[in-house]
Amino acid sequence: YRGHLKETTQMGVERIGDESADADAELLAMTVECLLAAGLTEFQVSVGQVDYFKSLLKEAELGPEAEERLRVLISQKNSFGVEEFVEEQKLKDSMQKAFTEIPQMFGSEEVLKKARSLTNNACALEAVSRLEEIYEIMKNYGYEKYISFDFGMLSKYQYYTGIIFQAYTYGTGEPMIKGGRYNGLMKHFATYNIRRRIAAMLLPEWWEYVYIEGHFEKFVLKNKYNHRKQLIKHIKRHGSKKYLTAWDC
């Protein structure tokens, strides 16, 4: 509990449908601009990359319990604990070195070079390249001085993919802003998959009579078309009426 309130008030931003580094950089730039607009001048946005760690985990072929233990030790910046743990797992020397270094891999862009030097894992190197690309875009914004990197920033939430970030300023022990990319999150929700299947079932000519509002949030039937009853019947037949918004069904 640590004396914290259990209820918090938050404001969030979501960027949907864009997997580019430009989208990552845009959200980081928005974070910087929000902090500047709040009157802060001394702060840092620390950026991690969970795919780097996940790629090394996959290569190491650790079991679920070992993965979770290693994740916790790295998140705690427990270098000695990590070193002892990977030795117990009898990993190859290069893998042991990479995991042992991760807790201390935070700081300026020099950390990116360090991360690249520790592995030849293609997916891990791709994760580093993504951070390098984002950093170059942040230079175009003129906000690179607010950006640092932390490869040991690992969330307990497994749905994150790609970058993860936290913003700090002096005098606060907790991040003011948290965020990250989670490309596959919506796939975990059954209603999303159901709506995707409905969309796939619709005949091409029926798209003249229906449109989707939001990110597969609801289907809306257009009014005054001859085939509306046929369309409604088709969707109801597949048990998906509750996902359909029709003004006068």
Side-chain angles (χ1 to χ4, degrees):
Y1 181 64
R2 298 186 300 172
H4 293 177
L5 292 174
K6 292 186 176 180
E7 182 176 304
T8 60
T9 300
Q10 296 181 332
M11 177 176 66
V13 175
E14 304 291 336
R15 177 68 182 267
I16 298 174
D18 190 340
E19 298 184 5
S20 69
D22 287 303
D24 291 340
E26 180 183 2
L27 269 293
L28 292 175
M30 183 182 298
T31 299
V32 171
E33 289 169 358
C34 285
L35 294 173
L36 290 172
L40 297 173
T41 57
E42 299 292 331
F43 60 86
Q44 280 288 294
V45 181
S46 184
V47 183
Q49 173 48 287
V50 297
D51 285 346
Y52 185 87
F53 177 69
K54 288 181 177 181
S55 299
L56 296 182
L57 276 182
K58 185 175 181 180
E59 183 180 347
E61 297 182 335
L62 296 175
E65 291 184 5
E67 285 187 6
E68 181 58 25
R69 178 59 179 160
L70 183 56
R71 185 187 305 277
V72 171
L73 289 170
I74 290 176
S75 296
Q76 293 172 343
K77 299 288 190 285
N78 187 345
S79 297
F80 295 110
V82 172
E83 183 177 2
E84 181 180 8
F85 180 78
V86 294
E87 285 178 357
E88 292 173 355
Q89 302 304 308
K90 302 188 184 305
L91 303 177
K92 60 184 181 180
D93 291 344
S94 61
M95 188 66 65
Q96 287 189 32
K97 179 174 175 57
F99 283 128
T100 302
E101 292 282 351
I102 288 178
Q104 301 305 317
M105 285 168 53
F106 55 89
S108 66
E109 61 179 318
E110 295 298 317
V111 175
L112 302 179
K113 298 177 183 178
K114 177 71 172 180
R116 188 174 287 281
S117 71
L118 288 172
T119 182
N120 58 6
N121 182 298
C123 293
L125 293 176
E126 185 178 342
V128 177
S129 296
R130 177 72 167 214
L131 289 180
E132 291 170 340
E133 184 179 1
I134 291 170
Y135 191 64
E136 289 302 312
I137 299 172
M138 295 305 293
K139 289 180 181 179
N140 294 333
Y141 279 104
Y143 293 153
E144 70 273 15
K145 71 177 182 178
Y146 299 110
I147 302 298
S148 59
F149 300 97
D150 185 354
F151 282 84
M153 185 190 301
L154 304 173
S155 174
K156 63 182 179 181
Y157 301 112
Q158 301 299 307
Y159 54 71
Y160 279 110
T161 60
I163 71 163
I164 182 172
F165 61 91
Q166 298 178 351
Y168 295 88
T169 191
Y170 295 106
T172 61
E174 296 290 331
M176 300 176 292
I177 297 177
K178 295 181 179 180
R181 177 177 283 278
Y182 35 87
N183 287 352
L185 180 63
M186 294 296 290
K187 296 177 183 177
H188 294 283
F189 295 95
T191 57
Y192 173 78
N193 289 326
I194 290 171
R195 292 191 294 267
R196 288 290 296 268
R197 288 197 293 272
I198 293 173
M201 288 189 299
L202 295 179
L203 299 176
E205 58 267 26
W206 285 1
W207 284 104
E208 182 181 352
Y209 314 111
V210 66
Y211 68 92
I212 293 175
E213 184 175 299
H215 195 59
F216 287 95
E217 291 172 4
K218 59 183 177 181
F219 291 79
V220 181
L221 296 178
K222 299 177 183 178
N223 286 321
K224 300 178 182 178
Y225 284 106
N226 294 331
H227 299 295
R228 289 184 69 258
K229 290 182 178 179
Q230 184 182 2
L231 178 58
I232 295 168
K233 182 178 179 181
H234 176 80
I235 293 177
K236 286 180 178 178
R237 187 187 308 136
H238 290 83
S240 303
K241 181 181 178 182
K242 63 181 178 180
Y243 304 114
L244 178 69
T245 296
W247 292 314
D248 48 7
C249 290

